[in-house]
Amino acid sequence: MTGKEPMSHLRKLVCAALAGGMLAGLAPSPAPASHGQAVFFEAPAQLLSPVTRPRTIDTLRKLGVTALRVELYWHSVAPAANSSRRPAFDATNPTGYNWGQFDPLIEEAHGLGWKILLTVTSPVPRWATANPRAGSLVNRPSSRQFEEFMTAVGRHYGSEVALFALWNEPNHHEFLQPQFNANGTPASPRIYRSLFQAGYAGLRAAGIAQPAVLLGETAPEGEAYARPPIRSSSGNVGPLLFLREALCLRSDYRRFGACGEIRAAGYATHPYPNAAGPLYVPRNRETITISVLSRLSQALDLAARVHAVPAQMPIYVTEFGIMSKPNRYQGVPAAQQAEYDAISERIAYQNPRVASFAQYLLKDDPISGRAGSGKVGFQTGLQYFNGAPKPLFASFPVPLTVTRRGGGFSLWGFVRPAGGATTVTVEVEPAGSSRFRKLAQVPTDALGYWTLTSFTPGTHWRVRWTSPTGTLYAGPSTRAY
């Protein structure tokens, strides 16, 4: 989120409000400089099941969703995926695969006109790993065989997918191994570079002349430095270290080796914050959370100077969420989850380099283990595991943030289901009162975003919007930050 506005700017706003006779103590702010960021929603458990898909699609439509992220697991569609011996088949031909549960979802989303981001990722067929007879299904996947697979993917889904991404969180040990070499130097970045180039070549071989492919999809945290010896497979490479190594750059962003420029449509990141919230700035300079997206844009600019990536590469937030209770390790109260999520979306929106935001999960994962057990899952959903709605369910279609600005408040919001210009009702709970009253009717811009500057003292705010069909969207109360 941007810092406090300069006092001279605040004085101008106050003077403008007084000169305009704003008796209610508020002023509609100029429409924000909108760049129209997509918001990718991901709900794999419900969307990939033919039983729950229809109801889930209907729910997402009411929430204003128009874009999906779908993770396509190579192992899930490949023939004889658990065999150590590759079967005899044309790996570039889509008919050699069982696209199963992915086809109905992608076809329906495409038919609705929704933008689809397809992330092709691990686990991989056992016969495509470095050691098919032993080891994990993420161990040094064959780039040659991945290129053939991506040719089949491109031929099968090329006309239905707006964006491709190659690998989910390649800097995380659960998705790509090894992360480090035996001497402690990073291993996963070079493995990933080979996979990315192979996947890109496969899409071109499928007949897509200029594939729109995202680089990265990196997890937010990892080791800041390679500290030998790495004795465990659970270590992760820090996202900025990973970026530099994948692009063949030293710590000062100067080239080493003979690597060429990587052509990508953007860099994807998963900038999850910790329980301290989206405004917390992590001390580890290699970490990329939502509050420090500028670290990533600066790194990409430095990489572009030496022609490692194209200039002004956009940033895509492709997986994101705020963990809530009942996760007792990282979760925040459910009401605060809604506030933090809206603040995060505003941060992304206000950064001109960010081309997308994301919401990971409609319904929480179940909790069945301790931290680090791999069974706690994600409690980032709009609903609890039992389907009961959280405050985020009401907030997601009409997110609202309130920021203290000197003697007033700066409000920002979005009417997601509107799909265009509309008017939203803003209400305030004045200091010393227990009831909300109407603060303003605020027009949005052409995409549904709006801002407001208010000098009315308040403790909580909320928004109301009625769709053209008569559906009332009532956001939860929100505090000022």
Side-chain angles (χ1 to χ4, degrees):
M1 177 175 277
T2 55
K4 289 188 176 181
E5 299 178 32
M7 188 58 66
S8 61
H9 182 56
L10 180 59
R11 282 197 294 267
K12 289 178 182 178
L13 288 174
V14 174
C15 291
L18 293 174
M22 296 294 178
L23 300 179
L26 52 89
S29 302
S34 174
H35 57 276
Q37 71 179 13
V39 179
F40 292 106
F41 204 104
E42 190 171 358
Q46 292 78 42
L47 286 173
L48 290 175
S49 167
V51 176
T52 56
R53 184 184 306 117
R55 179 179 295 179
T56 303
I57 289 285
D58 184 58
T59 297
L60 296 185
R61 291 178 69 178
K62 293 175 181 176
L63 291 171
V65 172
T66 58
L68 293 183
R69 177 180 183 241
V70 179
E71 291 186 66
L72 176 65
Y73 312 111
W74 188 1
H75 183 277
S76 295
V77 300
N82 289 318
S83 173
S84 61
R85 179 175 297 181
R86 170 177 159 160
F89 78 114
D90 180 0
T92 66
N93 190 332
T95 62
Y97 299 86
N98 178 14
W99 305 103
Q101 56 191 344
F102 299 100
D103 272 1
L105 171 58
I106 291 175
E107 289 171 4
E108 184 167 358
H110 180 67
L112 290 170
W114 290 3
K115 187 175 185 178
I116 301 170
L117 164 63
L118 187 66
T119 299
V120 185
T121 188
S122 58
V124 311
R126 185 168 297 280
W127 43 260
T129 62
N131 186 357
R133 296 188 180 279
S136 71
L137 299 178
V138 297
N139 181 38
R140 295 188 185 274
S142 166
S143 57
R144 179 183 61 81
Q145 298 193 64
F146 187 59
E147 179 175 344
E148 293 180 344
F149 175 54
M150 286 306 302
T151 300
V153 170
R155 289 172 175 170
H156 192 62
Y157 290 124
S159 63
E160 298 177 304
V161 171
L163 277 172
F164 291 93
L166 303 182
W167 231 262
N168 174 67
E169 299 190 351
N171 64 322
H172 196 288
H173 70 278
E174 291 185 2
F175 307 105
L176 187 62
Q177 291 181 9
Q179 286 291 305
F180 292 94
N181 296 308
N183 64 358
T185 59
S188 58
R190 290 307 187 92
I191 299 172
Y192 174 71
R193 180 185 177 94
S194 178
L195 289 168
F196 182 91
Q197 291 177 314
Y200 190 93
L203 290 173
R204 292 200 64 184
I208 306 174
Q210 294 183 318
V213 186
L214 301 182
L215 182 70
E217 289 258 41
T218 43
E221 297 180 308
E223 300 297 323
Y225 306 100
R227 297 187 179 94
I230 301 296
R231 302 184 184 278
S232 170
S233 62
S234 63
N236 304 319
V237 176
L240 287 185
L241 174 61
F242 183 90
L243 179 151
R244 292 193 300 271
E245 290 286 330
L247 298 179
C248 305
L249 301 176
R250 296 187 177 92
S251 59
D252 60 0
Y253 289 84
R254 294 184 179 182
R255 281 181 174 275
F256 67 85
C259 296
E261 181 180 79
I262 281 189
R263 305 299 300 180
Y267 195 95
T269 180
H270 301 171
Y272 288 98
N274 59 24
L279 299 176
Y280 174 76
V281 176
R283 294 180 180 179
N284 184 341
R285 297 292 300 176
E286 298 290 317
T287 295
I288 300 296
T289 60
I290 193 72
S291 66
V292 291
L293 287 177
S294 59
R295 292 179 182 175
L296 180 54
S297 58
Q298 290 167 4
L300 291 172
D301 288 344
L302 290 171
R305 288 184 185 179
V306 294
H307 306 289
V309 294
Q312 290 297 302
M313 178 175 279
I315 295 170
Y316 287 79
V317 175
T318 55
E319 184 180 310
F320 187 83
I322 301 295
M323 202 83 78
S324 78
K325 297 183 182 301
N327 186 311
R328 63 181 182 274
Y329 306 107
Q330 300 181 51
V332 300
Q336 197 167 47
Q337 179 198 28
E339 295 172 337
Y340 280 1
D341 194 80
I343 291 171
S344 300
E345 185 167 2
R346 179 181 179 177
I347 292 172
Y349 174 81
Q350 291 182 327
N351 187 324
R353 289 287 289 276
V354 176
S356 74
F357 188 63
Q359 168 58 35
Y360 180 66
L361 294 187
L362 173 63
K363 184 183 293 187
D364 283 354
D365 289 333
I367 294 180
S368 58
R370 297 181 178 180
S373 69
K375 298 180 180 180
V376 175
F378 280 70
Q379 287 69 50
T380 53
L382 278 60
Q383 300 170 327
Y384 294 104
F385 179 66
N386 64 7
K390 303 181 189 177
L392 182 57
F393 190 90
S395 173
F396 183 80
V398 284
L400 165 68
T401 69
V402 183
T403 307
R404 299 181 188 278
R405 289 283 187 257
F409 301 93
S410 175
L411 285 74
W412 173 94
F414 180 35
V415 184
R416 202 182 309 278
T422 187
T423 301
V424 64
T425 300
V426 182
E427 298 179 342
V428 63
E429 183 182 67
S433 174
S434 60
R435 293 185 177 183
F436 280 87
R437 67 173 178 81
K438 181 178 176 180
L439 178 65
Q441 289 283 119
V442 186
T444 73
D445 69 7
L447 296 176
Y449 294 95
W450 62 272
T451 60
L452 179 72
T453 298
S454 171
F455 300 98
T456 299
T459 55
H460 293 86
W461 292 257
R462 67 187 186 189
V463 294
R464 298 288 185 270
W465 179 73
T466 302
S467 73
T469 60
T471 301
L472 173 63
Y473 290 83
S477 65
T478 299
R479 297 169 295 173
Y481 282 81

